[in-house]
Amino acid sequence: MISFIDEEYMPRDIESTGACFHRPVLLREIVMALQPGAGKIVLDATVGGGGHSLALLKAGASVIACDQDPEALEEASKRLAGYSNRTRFVESNFADVDEWLSGAGVEELDGILLDLGLSSHQIDTPSRGFSFLGNGPLDMRMGPHIQRTAADLVNRSSQEELARIFFEFGEEPAGRRLAAHLVRVRGRAPILTTSDLVKAVESVIPKRGPKHPATKVFQALRIAVNDELAVLERALRSLSVRVKGGGRMAVIAFHSLEDRIVKFFFRDISQEWIDRPEWPQPQRNPAYAFRLITARPIEPSEEEVRQNSRARSAKLRVVERIRNES
Ligand SMILES: C[S@@+](CC[C@H](N)C(=O)[O-])C[C@H]1O[C@@H](n2cnc3c(N)ncnc32)[C@H](O)[C@@H]1O
């Protein structure tokens, strides 16, 4: 399936880069996509537990390891300690890391990786409030600098705003009814924990199929708290400018809302000509600067999903900046 590059850059012991903090998804595919040889600089914009970064370092590249979660940076710095001469750490939202790159004099990058969403550590730590399975404060912030928690949103947003969040970010059909119910519940006592929210959801949304009824509601709140879709759009625009000729940008998305943004952005920058019904003829696309490496997204193999069920919805898309002929 991945015939787009050879295995020249693959470290011999790549499989040993998995860990319990977070098991990296599509690891071999990322190494193949980013071609991380010696002398290359790769921005891992979502370093998490450092699994992808470790493989990129083992293959010879230098890595700028970014995350907005200090817990991730702490873990990654331990994990990548053996490569400290080729690794730099940045605590930042990836939508703002461009500023850091300018300050550090890094004008161009050979590769960029965005492995979106949450690490297993974030999901599995009840005090972070991301999971409907354990009880914890209704927080859901990926980093301490983020102003509003999920509890702030649930207790202070208007009913209309809550309904919009559940509809737009969770595609939850019962969003309106749930928003109305939450406003009634919080009128009696604030909704402060993940269990409070699960209880409220379960009284409105019946269990349908194998999925927990709160799945979409938790997804929607998490996206809203961390402003995930807006920061993704900003990051794609600001970071793609930094990719040098022949360099690549790889994004792994885990739900259709973020994958759609990546898909359309990559399409917009890789189409030489654009056409509109109202134009007499197609026009050259001023944003054209990349070649689409993955005509269709790369998905994990059955074997990977068997070993790591959290990989099941992953979709990897890759583009490469066209080299300047002159
Ligand atoms: C799926 S995990 C990445 C796992 C990592 N590739 C590994 O091998 O361990 C996603 C990470 O991205 C971080 N993250 C998500 N959105 C971010 C953003 N806008 N800016 C910076 N970090 C972000 C999360 O805090 C989390 O640590």
Side-chain angles (χ1 to χ4, degrees):
M1 177 181 52
I2 318 149
S3 56
F4 59 97
I5 20 190
D6 56 34
E7 295 220 355
E8 185 187 338
Y9 300 93
M10 197 64 61
R12 248 183 265 284
D13 56 346
I14 184 162
E15 303 307 346
S16 69
T17 54
C20 56
F21 188 95
H22 182 84
R23 191 181 181 126
V25 167
L26 293 167
L27 184 59
R28 300 180 74 83
E29 291 79 354
I30 285 298
V31 173
M32 289 198 275
L34 292 178
Q35 307 177 321
K40 293 196 177 178
I41 304 178
V42 178
L43 168 67
D44 182 349
T46 50
V47 70
H52 285 118
S53 274
L54 185 56
L56 299 170
L57 287 160
K58 282 184 178 180
S62 296
V63 168
I64 298 168
C66 163
D67 206 292
Q68 61 179 339
D69 185 348
E71 287 180 20
L73 288 168
E74 196 187 323
E75 171 72 14
S77 60
K78 279 189 231 147
R79 192 106 178 275
L80 308 177
Y83 298 89
S84 55
N85 57 336
R86 284 193 273 124
T87 317
R88 283 178 277 181
F89 293 94
V90 192
E91 184 180 330
S92 170
N93 191 305
F94 53 53
D96 303 320
V97 72
D98 193 50
E99 231 171 87
W100 182 91
L101 293 169
S102 297
V106 182
E107 295 305 326
E108 289 190 316
L109 295 162
D110 295 280
I112 298 179
L113 166 63
L114 277 85
D115 176 18
L116 300 170
L118 299 171
S119 66
S120 297
H121 173 77
Q122 288 167 326
I123 298 169
D124 298 338
T125 306
S127 62
R128 302 296 300 266
F130 286 112
S131 173
F132 42 76
L133 295 176
N135 190 21
L138 201 50
D139 189 321
M140 300 198 194
R141 290 171 304 152
M142 282 194 210
H145 59 282
I146 293 168
Q147 302 284 323
R148 287 180 316 175
T149 64
D152 293 334
L153 279 186
V154 167
N155 291 291
R156 296 190 201 150
S157 304
S158 66
Q159 185 175 323
E160 291 68 37
E161 176 64 1
L162 284 174
R164 185 190 68 79
I165 289 172
F166 298 143
F167 177 71
E168 269 183 34
F169 302 148
E171 296 171 323
E172 173 53 66
R176 285 194 162 282
R177 273 190 303 123
L178 177 63
H181 181 65
L182 292 179
V183 169
R184 277 194 300 275
V185 172
R186 76 188 189 190
R188 296 193 288 271
I191 301 163
L192 296 176
T193 66
T194 51
S195 296
D196 291 345
L197 180 61
V198 167
K199 220 166 94 195
V201 171
E202 281 173 342
S203 67
V204 175
I205 305 173
K207 184 158 168 50
R208 25 169 148 80
K211 275 200 174 166
H212 192 286
T215 307
K216 290 178 170 181
V217 175
F218 271 64
Q219 173 187 301
L221 284 171
R222 188 199 100 193
I223 292 175
V225 165
N226 298 286
D227 199 15
E228 288 179 42
L229 304 183
V231 295
L232 174 59
E233 293 207 29
R234 266 176 53 212
L236 290 172
R237 260 183 274 119
S238 65
L239 292 176
S240 58
V241 176
R242 299 265 177 188
V243 181
K244 66 160 72 149
R248 291 184 171 186
M249 185 165 189
V251 185
I252 306 175
F254 289 86
H255 55 75
S256 59
L257 297 171
E258 57 192 17
D259 183 54
R260 205 175 301 152
I261 291 173
V262 180
K263 176 177 162 180
F264 287 124
F265 180 76
F266 280 4
R267 196 196 59 188
D268 287 351
I269 58 173
S270 62
Q271 264 184 332
E272 192 167 2
W273 297 92
I274 36 179
D275 201 1
R276 303 231 192 291
E278 65 274 21
W279 293 348
Q281 61 204 36
Q283 297 187 13
R284 245 192 110 79
N285 175 10
Y288 171 62
F290 284 82
R291 172 170 88 86
L292 206 51
I293 299 293
T294 49
R296 289 154 58 85
I298 292 170
E299 295 178 15
S301 63
E302 276 175 27
E303 178 57 19
E304 178 169 359
V305 176
R306 206 179 50 74
Q307 289 184 18
N308 177 13
S309 63
R310 284 184 177 156
R312 66 187 175 279
S313 48
K315 284 193 163 67
L316 166 64
R317 297 182 189 270
V318 185
V319 282
E320 178 182 289
R321 183 178 280 278
I322 295 162
R323 287 175 203 275
N324 211 334
E325 293 306 313
S326 59

